[in-house]
């Protein structure tokens, strides 16, 4: 009897202590996997990935430079492994990403003519989207197509194909991945001007009778500077368009910002100096507390609107893996996630679990 009760209480604690379990009636909780994790070589991360999450996004392996490195060459090895891993472990896979101006293979940047770029886009989407249709849950079809003022980003796609490349991407994705949800994904689209641009972009897709199922707000934010009001307005505005709302790349930097602006443009870099890396040997309790408070405020909002939100994905499993150790300044020590450098849950983790029950 005692043993049964003990077993039951252990099972109960475990269930409560899993992010995915705690939020299972609200929204999916996901994470981003890097190459060692997809290859199951990050032993610290493996139990966390399997127990804590319900969805995965590849951090890099489905981006053009990796999956389509040359005109006639595709490299599906890691992407296939990710998809098999997800299906085996009951983790919904979000494909990231089909059309994006960053991390393009060099051959794409050298394309000169409109016809060649259009052919690239057709081949790229057909080949990749059809391969994974029915095996993955969703695609970030277009990533980061907007400038901060809400106008279309001056990318190779806009320059050579004109603004219709966005609707064309969604048309091709719907054709070749009819069983896969299709999303627009971007950073700062909670901010009013960029949000207005995103709404116009989404409406232009819908006006052509094309399918778009959701919008991903990346969510690369700064500690104590979470734009809560703008996030709340955005959840309401995007869901009013009939879309699922997701937070797709959540992390909260605790390090100083080298610029006066907030952005997540992977091409922007700044140079290292020690002042920019204040916590190389551990996070002071006072900053840990601020991080916990920022996560708490955010998740309170997510819980409030859980009927409109379908997924919250952290951009990485643990702090050691985070891209924010290397961007926008290489060689820093950052603490943006809810599992620390040893894979241990941080105070923010326990706070997030507790909020699910309130
Ligand atoms: C980042 C990855 O985390 C890094 O490993 C890579 O070097 C650069 O890209 N917005 C996105 C993500 O949509 O794909 C980016 O991921 C982070 C910003």
């Amino acid at each position: 009897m005692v043993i049964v009760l003990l077993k039951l209480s252990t099972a109960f604690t475990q269930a409560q202590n899993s992010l995915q379990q705690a939020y299972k009636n609200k929204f999916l909780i996901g994470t981003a996997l890097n190459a060692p994790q997809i290859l199951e070589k990050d032993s610290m991360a493996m139990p966390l990935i399997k127990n804590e999450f319900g969805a995965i996004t590849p951090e890099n392996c489905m981006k053009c430079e990796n999956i389509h490195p040359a005109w006639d060459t595709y490299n599906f090895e890691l992407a296939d492994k990710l998809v098999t891993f997800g299906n085996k472990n009951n983790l919904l896979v979000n494909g990231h990403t089909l059309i994006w101006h960053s991390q393009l293979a060099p051959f794409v940047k050298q394309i000169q003519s409109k016809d060649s770029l259009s052919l690239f886009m057709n081949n790229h989407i057909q080949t990749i989207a059809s391969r994974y249709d029915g095996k993955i849950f969703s695609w970030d079809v277009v990533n980061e197509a907007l400038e901060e003022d809400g106008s279309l980003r001056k990318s190779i796609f806009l320059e050579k194909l004109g603004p219709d490349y966005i609707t064309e991407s969604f048309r091709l994705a719907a054709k070749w991945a009819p069983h896969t949800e299709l999303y627009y994904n971007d950073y700062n689209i909670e901010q009013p001007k960029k949000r207005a641009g995103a709404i116009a972009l989404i409406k232009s897709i819908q006006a052509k009778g094309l399918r778009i199922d959701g919008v991903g707000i990346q969510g690369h934010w700064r500690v104590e500077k979470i734009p809560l009001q703008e996030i709340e307005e955005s959840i309401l505005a995007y869901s009013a368009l009939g879309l699922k709302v997701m937070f797709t790349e959540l992390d909260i930097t605790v390090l100083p910002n080298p610029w006066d602006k907030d952005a997540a443009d992977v091409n922007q870099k700044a140079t290292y100096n020690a002042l920019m890396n204040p916590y190389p040997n551990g996070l002071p309790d006072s900053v840990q507390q601020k991080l916990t408070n920022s996560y708490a405020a955010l998740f309170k909002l997510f819980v409030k609107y859980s009927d409109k939100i379908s997924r919250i994905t952290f951009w990485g499993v643990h702090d050691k893996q985070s891209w924010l150790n290397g961007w926008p300044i290489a060689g820093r020590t950052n603490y943006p996630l809810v599992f620390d450098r040893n894979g241990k849950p941080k105070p923010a983790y326990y706070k997030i679990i507790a909020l699910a029950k309130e």
Side-chain angles (χ1 to χ4, degrees):
M1 180 65 179
V2 176
I3 293 175
V4 172
L5 277 178
L6 263 177
K7 277 203 166 146
L8 273 177
S9 77
T10 317
F12 181 74
T13 320
Q14 277 171 356
Q16 294 301 301
N17 280 346
S18 144
L19 290 169
Q20 180 53 37
Q21 278 299 321
Y23 281 87
K24 69 172 186 299
N25 296 324
K26 296 188 168 64
F27 36 69
L28 280 163
I29 306 267
T31 188
L33 302 193
N34 64 13
Q37 291 162 348
I38 297 166
L39 296 168
E40 302 196 46
K41 285 185 179 154
D42 179 350
S43 54
M44 180 167 95
M46 293 331 287
L48 300 177
I49 298 166
K50 291 178 186 171
N51 297 333
E52 297 286 344
F53 300 101
I56 50 177
T57 301
E59 192 175 347
N60 287 300
C61 75
M62 284 184 171
K63 292 173 180 173
C64 175
E65 67 179 5
N66 295 316
I67 203 167
H68 190 178
W71 184 269
D72 280 325
T73 312
Y74 289 86
N75 180 357
F76 293 119
E77 205 184 318
L78 269 183
D80 284 358
K81 283 209 165 81
L82 171 100
V83 173
T84 307
F85 177 83
N87 291 343
K88 198 172 94 195
N89 292 290
N90 242 331
L91 300 160
L92 294 188
V93 177
N94 176 56
H96 176 80
T97 172
L98 290 170
I99 296 297
W100 186 30
H101 67 285
S102 286
Q103 293 183 271
L104 282 171
F107 83 92
V108 183
K109 293 183 223 165
Q110 279 150 24
I111 293 175
Q112 296 297 327
S113 77
K114 177 178 181 175
D115 286 352
S116 299
L117 192 63
S118 166
L119 186 59
F120 157 78
M121 215 172 87
N122 273 267
N123 292 343
H124 185 79
I125 297 180
Q126 172 175 350
T127 308
I128 301 167
S130 65
R131 183 181 186 90
Y132 297 115
D133 191 39
K135 298 192 174 118
I136 69 173
F137 185 73
S138 52
W139 269 114
D140 294 335
V141 177
V142 175
N143 195 33
E144 301 181 354
L146 293 165
E147 304 277 0
E148 296 309 292
D149 67 0
S151 63
L152 289 182
R153 182 187 286 274
K154 289 158 202 67
S155 69
I156 179 171
F157 298 108
L158 182 68
E159 190 192 308
K160 296 235 157 23
L161 303 175
D164 286 348
Y165 85 86
I166 295 172
T167 45
E168 182 59 8
S169 300
F170 277 85
R171 191 186 66 75
L172 289 166
K175 178 172 179 193
W176 298 111
H179 309 97
T180 310
E181 295 202 350
L182 307 178
Y183 308 145
Y184 177 70
N185 193 59
D186 208 334
Y187 59 86
N188 285 353
I189 50 168
E190 73 281 1
Q191 296 300 329
K193 283 187 190 152
K194 204 164 176 181
R195 186 199 313 152
I199 290 171
L201 181 154
I202 292 160
K203 284 187 170 164
S204 75
I205 297 166
Q206 294 175 326
K208 290 204 167 164
L210 294 167
R211 183 163 66 87
I212 173 165
D213 302 293
V215 59
I217 299 170
Q218 290 186 3
H220 298 292
W221 288 309
R222 293 162 66 185
V223 73
E224 289 192 304
K225 298 214 165 64
I226 312 289
L228 294 169
Q229 193 191 325
E230 290 84 352
I231 295 170
E232 183 162 15
E233 289 163 4
S234 299
I235 295 170
L236 293 168
Y238 292 126
S239 68
L241 299 173
L243 297 189
K244 292 184 175 180
V245 180
M246 282 150 284
F247 295 85
T248 52
E249 304 185 13
L250 180 58
D251 49 24
I252 300 180
T253 180
V254 299
L255 298 184
N257 186 336
W259 311 296
D260 58 355
K261 58 179 181 277
D262 289 303
D265 183 341
V266 298
N267 304 309
Q268 286 180 326
K269 296 273 159 78
T271 44
Y272 182 93
N273 72 60
L275 284 177
M276 286 289 168
N277 190 25
Y279 319 120
N281 303 315
L283 192 63
D285 287 346
S286 60
V287 188
Q288 185 78 266
Q289 187 59 49
K290 289 177 185 170
L291 181 70
T292 307
N293 295 345
S294 289
Y295 268 117
L298 250 183
F299 272 78
K300 265 187 199 149
L301 199 57
F302 294 160
V303 168
K304 180 173 175 193
Y305 291 106
S306 60
D307 60 326
K308 300 182 168 46
I309 297 173
S310 61
R311 170 165 57 89
I312 310 287
T313 289
F314 292 90
W315 202 240
V317 181
H318 50 67
D319 285 343
K320 200 171 164 190
Q321 156 199 7
S322 171
W323 75 302
L324 294 174
N325 296 304
W327 182 92
I329 299 176
R332 298 201 294 178
T333 307
N334 210 334
Y335 304 82
L337 298 167
V338 298
F339 295 101
D340 70 14
R341 296 189 124 60
N342 300 311
K344 295 277 170 290
K346 292 155 70 169
Y349 169 92
Y350 294 107
K351 184 71 195 170
I352 291 172
I353 299 262
L355 283 168
K357 286 179 254 162
E358 273 177 17

